[in-house]
Amino acid sequence: MNTVSMDIPVYLADRKQKIDAYLDSLKLKTTEPYSILYDAAAFALAGGKRLRPILALATCDMLGGHLEQAIAPVCSLELVHTYSLIHDDLPCMDNDDYRRGRPTLHRQFPEAIALLAGDYLLTRAFELIASSPGLTAEQRIELTHILSSRAGGHGMIGGQVMDILAEGHPIDLPKLSEIHRRKTGDLITAAIEFGAVIAHANPDERKHLTQFGAEVGLAFQIIDDVIDVTASVEKHGKATSTDASKGKITYVQLMGIDKAKQTAEDHLHRGLEILRKVRKETFPLSAIAEKLVYRNI
Ligand code: IPE
Ligand code: IPE
Ligand code: MG
Ligand code: MG
Ligand code: MG
Protein backbone atom coordinates (compact mmCIF):
# COMPACT_ATOMS: atom_id res chain seq x y z
CA MET A 1 0.00 0.00 0.00
CA ASN A 2 1.35 3.45 -0.90
CA THR A 3 1.11 5.12 2.49
CA VAL A 4 2.39 8.49 1.25
CA SER A 5 -0.65 9.06 -0.94
CA MET A 6 -3.10 8.07 1.81
CA ASP A 7 -5.30 10.42 3.83
CA ILE A 8 -4.62 10.27 7.55
CA PRO A 9 -8.23 9.33 8.47
CA VAL A 10 -8.12 6.57 5.84
CA TYR A 11 -4.75 5.32 7.09
CA LEU A 12 -5.88 5.37 10.73
CA ALA A 13 -9.16 3.61 9.97
CA ASP A 14 -7.38 0.96 7.91
CA ARG A 15 -4.73 0.24 10.55
CA LYS A 16 -7.26 0.31 13.40
CA GLN A 17 -9.45 -2.16 11.55
CA LYS A 18 -6.50 -4.55 11.08
CA ILE A 19 -5.51 -4.23 14.74
CA ASP A 20 -9.10 -4.77 15.92
CA ALA A 21 -9.44 -7.80 13.66
CA TYR A 22 -6.24 -9.31 15.06
CA LEU A 23 -7.26 -8.60 18.67
CA ASP A 24 -10.63 -10.16 17.93
CA SER A 25 -8.92 -13.30 16.66
CA LEU A 26 -7.27 -13.67 20.09
CA LYS A 27 -10.59 -13.92 21.91
CA LEU A 28 -10.77 -17.15 23.84
CA LYS A 29 -13.88 -19.05 24.83
CA THR A 30 -13.74 -21.96 27.17
CA THR A 31 -16.07 -24.10 29.19
CA GLU A 32 -13.40 -24.26 31.91
CA PRO A 33 -14.36 -22.73 35.26
CA TYR A 34 -12.13 -19.71 34.55
CA SER A 35 -13.98 -18.58 31.39
CA ILE A 36 -14.94 -15.29 33.11
CA LEU A 37 -11.28 -14.29 32.71
CA TYR A 38 -11.61 -14.15 28.94
CA ASP A 39 -14.95 -12.30 29.08
CA ALA A 40 -13.34 -9.71 31.34
CA ALA A 41 -10.29 -9.33 29.09
CA ALA A 42 -12.51 -8.88 26.01
CA PHE A 43 -14.62 -6.28 27.83
CA ALA A 44 -11.54 -4.26 28.77
CA LEU A 45 -9.99 -4.46 25.31
CA ALA A 46 -13.04 -3.04 23.52
CA GLY A 47 -13.15 0.60 22.52
CA GLY A 48 -9.55 1.85 22.68
CA LYS A 49 -8.06 4.20 20.10
CA ARG A 50 -5.23 1.66 19.46
CA LEU A 51 -2.68 4.46 19.30
CA ARG A 52 0.32 2.43 20.37
CA PRO A 53 -0.03 -0.35 17.76
CA ILE A 54 -0.89 2.30 15.14
CA LEU A 55 2.32 4.20 15.97
CA ALA A 56 4.29 0.97 15.72
CA LEU A 57 2.76 0.13 12.33
CA ALA A 58 3.37 3.65 10.99
CA THR A 59 7.03 3.43 12.07
CA CYS A 60 7.30 0.02 10.43
CA ASP A 61 5.70 1.40 7.23
CA MET A 62 8.12 4.31 7.18
CA LEU A 63 11.06 1.91 7.16
CA GLY A 64 9.57 -0.44 4.58
CA GLY A 65 8.63 -3.24 7.01
CA HIS A 66 5.87 -5.77 6.46
CA LEU A 67 2.43 -5.66 8.05
CA GLU A 68 2.11 -9.48 8.22
CA GLN A 69 5.22 -9.65 10.43
CA ALA A 70 4.21 -6.63 12.49
CA ILE A 71 0.57 -7.26 13.36
CA ALA A 72 1.05 -9.84 16.15
CA PRO A 73 3.86 -8.07 18.03
CA VAL A 74 2.28 -4.60 17.75
CA CYS A 75 -0.94 -5.96 19.25
CA SER A 76 1.06 -7.05 22.30
CA LEU A 77 1.49 -3.31 22.99
CA GLU A 78 -2.29 -2.90 23.17
CA LEU A 79 -2.54 -5.85 25.58
CA VAL A 80 0.02 -4.28 27.91
CA HIS A 81 -1.58 -0.85 27.58
CA THR A 82 -5.04 -2.26 28.40
CA TYR A 83 -3.68 -4.15 31.41
CA SER A 84 -2.12 -0.89 32.63
CA LEU A 85 -5.47 0.89 32.34
CA ILE A 86 -7.33 -1.87 34.22
CA HIS A 87 -4.87 -1.66 37.12
CA ASP A 88 -4.67 2.15 36.92
CA ASP A 89 -8.45 2.36 37.42
CA LEU A 90 -8.59 0.03 40.47
CA PRO A 91 -9.83 1.45 43.79
CA CYS A 92 -6.31 1.17 45.24
CA MET A 93 -4.94 3.26 42.34
CA ASP A 94 -6.96 6.03 40.61
CA ASN A 95 -10.33 4.57 41.68
CA ASP A 96 -12.13 5.41 38.44
CA ASP A 97 -15.58 4.21 37.39
CA TYR A 98 -15.61 4.93 33.68
CA ARG A 99 -13.22 3.92 30.89
CA ARG A 100 -13.49 3.75 27.12
CA GLY A 101 -17.12 4.88 27.34
CA ARG A 102 -18.14 2.07 29.68
CA PRO A 103 -17.80 1.08 33.32
CA THR A 104 -14.25 0.30 34.40
CA LEU A 105 -13.49 -3.40 34.57
CA HIS A 106 -13.74 -3.65 38.36
CA ARG A 107 -17.18 -2.00 38.17
CA GLN A 108 -18.38 -4.52 35.60
CA PHE A 109 -16.71 -7.63 37.06
CA PRO A 110 -15.58 -8.57 40.59
CA GLU A 111 -12.49 -6.58 41.52
CA ALA A 112 -10.32 -9.69 41.85
CA ILE A 113 -11.30 -10.75 38.32
CA ALA A 114 -10.34 -7.30 37.01
CA LEU A 115 -6.95 -7.57 38.67
CA LEU A 116 -6.43 -11.05 37.23
CA ALA A 117 -7.60 -9.99 33.75
CA GLY A 118 -4.85 -7.34 33.85
CA ASP A 119 -2.32 -10.01 34.82
CA TYR A 120 -3.60 -12.21 32.02
CA LEU A 121 -3.25 -9.50 29.35
CA LEU A 122 0.30 -8.74 30.48
CA THR A 123 1.40 -12.37 30.26
CA ARG A 124 -0.49 -12.95 27.00
CA ALA A 125 1.44 -10.04 25.46
CA PHE A 126 4.73 -11.87 25.87
CA GLU A 127 3.21 -15.09 24.56
CA LEU A 128 2.24 -13.17 21.41
CA ILE A 129 5.76 -11.90 20.89
CA ALA A 130 7.31 -15.32 21.52
CA SER A 131 5.08 -16.91 18.92
CA SER A 132 5.08 -14.09 16.34
CA PRO A 133 5.34 -15.68 12.91
CA GLY A 134 7.80 -14.17 10.46
CA LEU A 135 10.19 -12.69 13.03
CA THR A 136 13.68 -13.97 13.64
CA ALA A 137 14.62 -15.29 17.08
CA GLU A 138 16.82 -12.18 17.53
CA GLN A 139 13.88 -9.89 16.80
CA ARG A 140 11.65 -11.71 19.30
CA ILE A 141 14.31 -11.37 22.00
CA GLU A 142 14.80 -7.69 21.17
CA LEU A 143 11.04 -6.98 21.36
CA THR A 144 10.77 -8.92 24.64
CA HIS A 145 13.59 -6.84 26.04
CA ILE A 146 12.06 -3.54 24.89
CA LEU A 147 8.59 -4.32 26.23
CA SER A 148 9.72 -5.77 29.55
CA SER A 149 12.03 -2.86 30.28
CA ARG A 150 9.78 -0.03 29.05
CA ALA A 151 6.71 -1.46 30.83
CA GLY A 152 8.74 -2.47 33.89
CA GLY A 153 10.13 -0.99 37.08
CA HIS A 154 12.43 1.44 35.34
CA GLY A 155 9.62 2.48 32.97
CA MET A 156 5.82 2.45 33.16
CA ILE A 157 5.50 0.76 36.57
CA GLY A 158 8.17 2.95 38.09
CA GLY A 159 6.23 5.95 36.76
CA GLN A 160 2.98 4.65 38.22
CA VAL A 161 4.66 4.19 41.61
CA MET A 162 6.00 7.76 41.48
CA ASP A 163 2.54 9.01 40.42
CA ILE A 164 0.87 7.34 43.41
CA LEU A 165 3.54 8.42 45.89
CA ALA A 166 3.27 12.02 44.64
CA GLU A 167 -0.48 12.24 45.34
CA GLY A 168 -1.16 15.05 47.76
CA HIS A 169 2.42 16.31 47.65
CA PRO A 170 3.74 19.38 45.87
CA ILE A 171 6.08 18.35 43.06
CA ASP A 172 8.02 20.48 40.62
CA LEU A 173 8.16 20.38 36.84
CA PRO A 174 11.29 18.18 36.45
CA LYS A 175 9.75 15.57 38.76
CA LEU A 176 6.38 15.69 36.98
CA SER A 177 8.05 15.40 33.60
CA GLU A 178 9.94 12.32 34.83
CA ILE A 179 6.69 10.72 36.05
CA HIS A 180 5.00 11.39 32.70
CA ARG A 181 7.97 10.14 30.68
CA ARG A 182 7.95 6.88 32.62
CA LYS A 183 4.26 6.14 33.20
CA THR A 184 3.14 6.99 29.65
CA GLY A 185 6.12 8.01 27.52
CA ASP A 186 7.97 4.74 27.86
CA LEU A 187 5.23 2.54 26.37
CA ILE A 188 4.80 5.00 23.48
CA THR A 189 8.56 4.92 22.96
CA ALA A 190 8.37 1.12 23.00
CA ALA A 191 5.75 1.29 20.22
CA ILE A 192 8.10 3.32 18.01
CA GLU A 193 10.98 0.99 18.86
CA PHE A 194 8.82 -2.02 17.93
CA GLY A 195 8.32 -0.58 14.44
CA ALA A 196 12.05 0.02 14.17
CA VAL A 197 13.01 -3.52 15.21
CA ILE A 198 10.41 -5.24 13.03
CA ALA A 199 11.54 -3.23 9.98
CA HIS A 200 15.27 -3.73 10.71
CA ALA A 201 16.15 -0.07 11.37
CA ASN A 202 19.87 0.68 11.45
CA PRO A 203 21.38 1.92 14.78
CA ASP A 204 21.21 5.60 13.77
CA GLU A 205 17.57 5.34 12.71
CA ARG A 206 16.77 3.49 15.92
CA LYS A 207 18.42 6.17 18.06
CA HIS A 208 16.50 9.01 16.39
CA LEU A 209 13.21 7.12 16.50
CA THR A 210 13.63 6.37 20.21
CA GLN A 211 14.19 10.08 20.94
CA PHE A 212 11.20 10.98 18.76
CA GLY A 213 9.04 8.48 20.69
CA ALA A 214 10.09 9.93 24.05
CA GLU A 215 9.09 13.47 23.01
CA VAL A 216 5.75 12.38 21.55
CA GLY A 217 5.06 10.20 24.62
CA LEU A 218 5.60 13.09 27.02
CA ALA A 219 3.47 15.41 24.85
CA PHE A 220 0.73 12.77 24.84
CA GLN A 221 0.48 12.61 28.64
CA ILE A 222 0.54 16.42 28.95
CA ILE A 223 -2.46 16.53 26.60
CA ASP A 224 -4.12 13.77 28.67
CA ASP A 225 -3.81 16.13 31.66
CA VAL A 226 -5.32 18.97 29.58
CA ILE A 227 -8.20 16.80 28.37
CA ASP A 228 -8.95 15.78 31.96
CA VAL A 229 -10.08 19.37 32.58
CA THR A 230 -11.40 20.36 29.13
CA ALA A 231 -13.30 17.41 27.61
CA SER A 232 -16.86 16.28 28.17
CA VAL A 233 -17.36 12.83 29.70
CA GLU A 234 -19.26 11.66 26.57
CA LYS A 235 -16.41 12.57 24.23
CA HIS A 236 -13.69 11.48 26.59
CA GLY A 237 -15.11 8.09 27.53
CA LYS A 238 -13.70 8.47 31.05
CA ALA A 239 -14.56 10.76 33.95
CA THR A 240 -13.18 14.28 33.77
CA SER A 241 -11.64 16.69 36.29
CA THR A 242 -10.51 13.70 38.31
CA ASP A 243 -6.80 14.48 38.67
CA ALA A 244 -7.22 17.48 40.98
CA SER A 245 -9.76 15.66 43.13
CA LYS A 246 -7.18 12.92 43.72
CA GLY A 247 -4.53 15.42 44.70
CA LYS A 248 -2.53 14.73 41.55
CA ILE A 249 -0.25 17.48 40.31
CA THR A 250 -0.53 17.81 36.53
CA TYR A 251 0.92 20.11 33.87
CA VAL A 252 -2.36 22.03 33.97
CA GLN A 253 -2.01 22.66 37.67
CA LEU A 254 1.62 23.68 37.40
CA MET A 255 1.27 26.06 34.45
CA GLY A 256 -2.37 26.44 33.34
CA ILE A 257 -4.14 25.04 30.28
CA ASP A 258 -2.62 27.27 27.60
CA LYS A 259 0.97 26.87 28.70
CA ALA A 260 0.48 23.11 29.14
CA LYS A 261 -0.79 22.87 25.55
CA GLN A 262 2.15 24.99 24.36
CA THR A 263 4.59 22.77 26.24
CA ALA A 264 3.10 19.66 24.59
CA GLU A 265 3.44 21.32 21.18
CA ASP A 266 7.06 22.22 21.95
CA HIS A 267 7.85 18.57 22.75
CA LEU A 268 6.03 17.46 19.59
CA HIS A 269 8.06 19.86 17.45
CA ARG A 270 11.31 18.78 19.07
CA GLY A 271 10.30 15.19 18.28
CA LEU A 272 9.42 15.99 14.67
CA GLU A 273 12.79 17.72 14.20
CA ILE A 274 14.54 14.57 15.42
CA LEU A 275 12.32 12.40 13.21
CA ARG A 276 13.54 14.30 10.12
CA LYS A 277 17.06 13.00 10.87
CA VAL A 278 15.78 9.59 9.77
CA ARG A 279 16.24 10.10 6.07
CA LYS A 280 12.95 8.51 5.05
CA GLU A 281 9.47 9.78 4.15
CA THR A 282 8.09 10.70 7.59
CA PHE A 283 4.42 10.84 6.53
CA PRO A 284 2.10 9.42 7.89
CA LEU A 285 4.04 8.89 11.16
CA SER A 286 4.64 12.63 11.57
CA ALA A 287 0.97 13.43 10.92
CA ILE A 288 -0.18 10.82 13.45
CA ALA A 289 2.15 12.31 16.07
CA GLU A 290 0.61 15.74 15.39
CA LYS A 291 -2.87 14.29 15.69
CA LEU A 292 -2.01 12.81 19.10
CA VAL A 293 -1.11 16.24 20.39
CA TYR A 294 -3.82 18.29 18.63
CA ARG A 295 -6.56 15.93 19.84
CA ASN A 296 -9.54 16.49 22.07
CA ILE A 297 -10.24 12.86 23.06
C1 IPE B 1 -4.97 6.73 28.19
O1 IPE B 1 -4.40 6.31 26.98
C2 IPE B 1 -3.99 6.56 29.30
C3 IPE B 1 -2.73 7.30 29.15
C4 IPE B 1 -1.60 6.69 29.13
C5 IPE B 1 -2.74 8.74 29.06
P1 IPE B 1 -5.25 6.43 25.64
O2 IPE B 1 -5.77 7.84 25.51
O3 IPE B 1 -4.42 5.92 24.51
O4 IPE B 1 -6.48 5.47 25.92
P2 IPE B 1 -7.32 4.45 24.99
O5 IPE B 1 -6.43 3.29 24.73
O6 IPE B 1 -7.69 5.15 23.72
O7 IPE B 1 -8.51 4.09 25.83
C1 IPE C 1 -2.19 6.52 33.06
O1 IPE C 1 -2.15 7.84 33.43
C2 IPE C 1 -0.85 5.92 32.86
C3 IPE C 1 -0.94 4.45 32.81
C4 IPE C 1 -2.04 3.75 32.78
C5 IPE C 1 0.30 3.72 32.81
P1 IPE C 1 -3.56 8.44 33.91
O2 IPE C 1 -3.98 7.87 35.20
O3 IPE C 1 -3.49 9.93 33.77
O4 IPE C 1 -4.51 7.87 32.74
P2 IPE C 1 -6.08 8.04 32.70
O5 IPE C 1 -6.37 9.53 32.70
O6 IPE C 1 -6.66 7.32 33.89
O7 IPE C 1 -6.47 7.41 31.38
MG1 MG D 1 -3.08 7.08 36.90
MG1 MG E 1 -5.95 7.09 35.72
MG1 MG F 1 -5.21 11.12 32.97
Side-chain angles (χ1 to χ4, degrees), residues 244-269:
S245 67
K246 290 169 197 145
K248 287 199 198 278
I249 303 289
T250 66
Y251 270 71
V252 174
Q253 293 200 352
L254 282 188
M255 56 179 70
I257 292 175
D258 291 343
K259 184 118 192 289
K261 278 187 181 167
Q262 186 57 55
T263 305
E265 287 169 27
D266 292 346
H267 283 291
L268 167 71
H269 291 127

Side-chain angles (χ1 to χ4, degrees), residues 135-154:
L135 295 184
T136 64
E138 285 75 16
Q139 282 176 307
R140 288 192 212 124
I141 291 169
E142 181 74 15
L143 295 180
T144 302
H145 186 248
I146 291 168
L147 191 56
S148 55
S149 55
R150 294 254 177 229
H154 197 57

Side-chain angles (χ1 to χ4, degrees), residues 13 38-39 56 120 143 148 151 168 171 178 192 218 239 249 253 258 297:
Y38 300 131
D39 298 337
Y120 163 67
L143 295 180
S148 55
I171 50 168
E178 188 192 341
I192 303 289
L218 174 57
I249 303 289
Q253 293 200 352
D258 291 343
I297 54 164

Side-chain angles (χ1 to χ4, degrees), residues 82-216:
T82 303
Y83 124 74
S84 80
L85 297 180
I86 297 169
H87 285 192
D88 180 74
D89 289 335
L90 287 171
C92 60
M93 297 275 292
D94 288 353
N95 192 22
D96 275 314
D97 296 336
Y98 202 48
R99 168 72 66 185
R100 292 179 164 173
R102 300 201 293 173
T104 46
L105 199 60
H106 64 273
R107 294 274 168 225
Q108 187 71 21
F109 288 82
E111 186 181 337
I113 299 300
L115 181 84
L116 291 165
D119 295 341
Y120 163 67
L121 289 171
L122 174 61
T123 46
R124 184 87 168 95
F126 288 97
E127 187 185 347
L128 265 196
I129 294 173
S131 56
S132 285
L135 295 184
T136 64
E138 285 75 16
Q139 282 176 307
R140 288 192 212 124
I141 291 169
E142 181 74 15
L143 295 180
T144 302
H145 186 248
I146 291 168
L147 191 56
S148 55
S149 55
R150 294 254 177 229
H154 197 57
M156 183 177 81
I157 296 302
Q160 288 286 70
V161 170
M162 290 176 73
D163 179 281
I164 293 293
L165 292 180
E167 272 182 16
H169 298 287
I171 50 168
D172 59 11
L173 193 57
K175 185 63 109 194
L176 182 61
S177 143
E178 188 192 341
I179 293 174
H180 280 21
R181 282 184 186 277
R182 289 187 200 277
K183 77 172 185 176
T184 298
D186 273 338
L187 193 60
I188 289 181
T189 306
I192 303 289
E193 291 179 313
F194 264 44
V197 168
I198 295 161
H200 299 282
N202 67 40
D204 255 9
E205 290 169 340
R206 168 78 179 268
K207 185 181 84 190
H208 298 320
L209 284 164
T210 299
Q211 291 170 353
F212 161 72
E215 294 300 327
V216 172

Side-chain angles (χ1 to χ4, degrees), residues 10-74:
V10 175
Y11 181 88
L12 291 176
D14 175 79
R15 293 307 189 258
K16 183 169 183 301
Q17 185 270 322
K18 290 188 166 78
I19 291 159
D20 283 339
Y22 189 84
L23 290 172
D24 241 36
S25 77
L26 298 177
K27 270 191 195 156
L28 295 180
K29 277 263 164 253
T30 177
T31 52
E32 299 290 339
Y34 51 83
S35 66
I36 190 174
L37 175 67
Y38 300 131
D39 298 337
F43 185 91
L45 272 171
K49 297 185 285 291
R50 314 300 190 217
L51 297 176
R52 292 147 192 83
I54 288 173
L55 279 170
L57 289 180
T59 307
C60 183
D61 279 336
M62 174 180 168
L63 300 170
H66 300 293
L67 184 76
E68 318 79 68
Q69 291 169 342
I71 193 72
V74 305

